[in-house]
Amino acid sequence: MSTTISYAELVGLLEEIFLRHGTDKVAASILAENCAMCERDGAHSHGIFRIRGYVDSLSTGWVDGRAIPEVEDIAPSFCRVDASNGFAQVALAQARDLAVSKCRQTGVSVLAIRNSHHLSALWPDVEPLAREGLIAISTVNSFACTVPFDGKSPVFGTNPFAFAAPLEGGDPIVFDLATSAMANGDVQIAARKGHALPPDSGVDKNGKPTNDPQAVLDGGALLTFGGYKGSSISMMVELLGAALTGGHFSFEFDWSGHEGAQTPHTGQLIILIDPSRAAGESFDLRAHTLIAAMQAAGVSRLPGQRRAEIRAQTLQNGIPITAEDLASLRTLAIA
């Protein structure tokens, strides 16, 4: 049985859950809005599905929900944040104004977050920056669940990267994709629903190809998308998200003593570019030229457009949610 909940109501309910399970008000507000945004926009693998993972990560002491990030102003275009074993989104919020200011002053800035936990999609981190007129790129590594091309065991995480660019008079261009064949959350959802995975998505614990999501989760691993090409990009994400930030590689942390913990303890890199510094015609005009060419070639849906369409629907009609999921959230808010 399904019902609906408004975006504001969902944010409020999730905030109660985070507060109940050990975060301070700042973290609760940031994480609740982030998670609700994902559910609102149809990104279900990073919406309320993730709440149990957040709660278990907090209750086992794996992540510090009251951590105070330490912002470090390193150079005219470079700043760092030690998230202090807290959530990456909280660290980003703490350093955001500094990173934006540096970008406005110099044309580009880099924000390197370390000692952080990220369990959400990346597009909520970059889309708001594009709405302020900046190009934003972000990478974050994860936990070792993906086999490098020509490898035999997992080394990489799902290792997503996201890109957002402003468009005058419309929604930004936004995409967010894992460098694994699919997101780990989608594998978990497929297992829960009894659905098979697409071909070439993963291997079982013996390294044999499988489309059984449970086999991937039970000692198996994902493959990278596009063979060696995706593997190379995933390696880049490890280098940017961990080696450059000072965070852990996806294979370097051990959460075995924190049963149920799901928030990878790694790092995140965000690069900001001010498109007003570009040469020639304005970036916006050139972007519209490219979009027109794509549409003339038959493209009917741009990156991020589906999410925007779902957002418009759910803001008007409410966010669909099963009665079971809603009851579970309400229980977590008081238990």
Side-chain angles (χ1 to χ4, degrees):
M1 182 177 177
S2 184
T3 183
T4 59
I5 186 171
S6 73
Y7 176 70
E9 288 174 316
L10 182 58
V11 170
L13 179 56
L14 296 178
E15 191 167 344
E16 290 178 26
I17 292 172
F18 284 115
L19 286 170
R20 178 69 179 173
H21 292 275
T23 72
D24 60 24
K25 291 197 69 173
V26 172
S29 177
I30 291 170
L31 294 172
E33 186 156 4
N34 182 286
C35 186
M37 286 170 66
C38 292
E39 193 68 23
R40 177 198 66 192
D41 290 9
H44 300 302
S45 62
H46 292 90
I48 61 172
F49 168 75
R50 290 293 190 183
I51 288 298
R52 185 78 252 176
Y54 279 115
V55 168
D56 289 345
S57 298
L58 287 161
S59 64
T60 60
W62 173 245
V63 59
D64 184 354
R66 299 177 180 274
I68 299 175
E70 297 181 13
V71 180
E72 303 164 349
D73 189 342
I74 300 302
S77 291
F78 202 106
C79 50
R80 301 190 306 229
V81 189
D82 182 348
S84 303
N85 197 39
F87 291 101
Q89 294 93 334
V90 179
L92 169 58
Q94 189 79 5
R96 188 181 190 280
D97 288 348
L98 178 61
V100 169
S101 175
K102 286 179 176 294
C103 183
R104 301 282 190 209
Q105 292 171 11
T106 67
V108 64
S109 69
V110 174
L111 171 58
I113 302 172
R114 67 186 186 278
N115 195 12
S116 58
H117 296 252
H118 202 298
L119 192 61
S120 185
L122 276 180
W123 62 263
D125 298 347
V126 296
E127 181 181 318
L129 293 160
R131 291 190 181 278
E132 292 186 25
L134 301 177
I135 295 170
I137 302 166
S138 184
T139 65
V140 62
N141 60 315
S142 178
F143 67 98
C145 61
T146 304
V147 180
F149 182 77
D150 201 32
K152 294 181 172 58
S153 60
V155 174
F156 301 151
T158 54
N159 291 11
F161 67 93
F163 172 88
L167 277 181
E168 188 175 335
D171 290 320
I173 299 169
V174 184
F175 65 77
D176 173 8
L177 54 95
T179 52
S180 53
M182 59 193 304
N184 187 265
D186 287 327
V187 179
Q188 295 178 51
I189 290 175
R192 188 169 67 175
K193 293 183 175 180
H195 294 169
L197 302 181
D200 302 320
S201 294
V203 294
D204 63 19
K205 61 183 179 182
N206 299 312
K208 303 294 185 182
T210 183
N211 64 354
D212 179 355
Q214 199 59 53
V216 171
L217 296 172
D218 293 342
L222 287 163
L223 300 174
T224 57
F225 80 86
Y228 71 89
K229 296 180 180 180
S231 187
S232 297
I233 298 172
S234 192
M235 180 181 178
M236 177 192 74
V237 171
E238 292 284 347
L239 292 170
L240 293 178
L244 185 60
T245 65
H248 292 118
F249 287 122
S250 296
F251 58 86
E252 282 188 321
F253 60 88
D254 179 10
W255 53 12
S256 59
H258 302 264
E259 186 175 354
Q262 293 184 28
T263 57
H265 186 192
T266 55
Q268 180 179 6
L269 189 78
I270 297 166
I271 301 170
L272 301 180
I273 303 169
D274 182 356
S276 70
R277 304 295 187 100
E281 295 179 310
S282 73
F283 174 83
D284 183 70
L285 181 61
R286 297 297 290 157
H288 278 290
T289 299
L290 174 60
I291 290 169
M294 292 169 65
Q295 291 171 335
V299 174
S300 60
R301 175 171 286 167
L302 295 171
Q305 187 173 333
R306 175 180 173 275
R307 231 178 4 249
E309 291 169 353
I310 294 175
R311 181 183 306 175
Q313 293 170 6
T314 54
L315 287 176
Q316 181 175 351
N317 303 320
I319 301 169
I321 186 172
T322 67
E324 180 183 3
D325 285 341
L326 184 56
S328 177
L329 292 178
R330 285 173 173 162
T331 298
L332 284 173
I334 59 175

